[in-house]
Amino acid sequence: MDAKVTKDMPHSGNGITVDPGSRAARLGDLGRRIPPPRIADVWLFPPLPQVEESSEFFLFTSILEDGGRALYSARMVPANGTPSHQVVVEHGRAPANRVPGLVAGLQRRLGQPAAVRHIPIEGDGARWEALLEQSREADASVDPAGQGR
């Protein structure tokens, strides 16, 4: 499940070009790879200061037929010093009740326990759309230099 985001600049639907590395564009890419009715949870991790060229990365789970979860990560892979495409990797499968412990263990290893944002989707299209809309609004409030408007 490792693939690139299109190199073309996506459009937000209102004629505005969207940065393919923006949260909204990246979540839109995930929604095209895994149907939102199968997405259970999304965790948004901030860029890690100890990792060179780090960008925000996501963990997310999909709902399996047996009720278990497949756990994925999505991160931007740089090319020539700039984020160029998103890589999505499946890391394994687990019962749904084991996933919070797996994520907590990752947070401890990264030293980022308070900064991670968890968004439960549970296959609900309205929740997924709300996350996309919040991400579009957050992206719009940040200028290209990363400074709030």
Side-chain angles (χ1 to χ4, degrees):
M1 177 170 256
D2 183 10
K4 293 184 179 184
V5 172
T6 180
K7 298 283 185 181
D8 298 329
M9 296 295 280
H11 294 274
S12 66
N14 59 4
I16 299 172
T17 302
V18 177
D19 174 5
S22 71
R23 181 185 296 169
R26 294 180 61 206
L27 288 170
D29 174 57
L30 294 178
R32 287 185 294 279
R33 294 175 190 229
I34 296 178
R38 288 189 42 222
I39 296 174
D41 295 280
V42 177
W43 290 268
L44 306 175
F45 285 76
L48 301 174
Q50 69 270 29
V51 178
E52 187 175 333
E53 297 193 35
S54 178
S55 64
E56 179 180 56
F57 70 97
F58 311 142
L59 284 180
F60 62 102
T61 57
S62 69
I63 302 167
L64 301 172
E65 287 183 20
D66 65 2
R69 301 293 188 261
L71 183 64
Y72 300 85
S73 66
R75 65 184 177 88
M76 294 301 286
V77 175
N80 300 325
T82 60
S84 64
H85 63 277
Q86 179 165 249
V87 174
V88 176
V89 177
E90 181 177 349
H91 293 281
R93 296 166 182 231
N97 64 350
R98 298 285 313 265
V99 173
L102 295 170
V103 174
L106 175 61
Q107 287 176 281
R108 280 191 302 278
R109 288 189 300 280
L110 294 174
Q112 300 278 337
V116 177
R117 181 175 167 216
H118 173 230
I119 303 98
I121 304 296
E122 294 305 324
D124 185 323
R127 288 182 187 180
W128 179 253
E129 287 302 319
L131 174 59
L132 289 176
E133 184 58 32
Q134 290 169 2
S135 297
R136 286 183 203 105
E137 290 171 4
D139 290 341
S141 69
V142 176
D143 69 24
Q147 306 297 316
R149 288 188 188 170

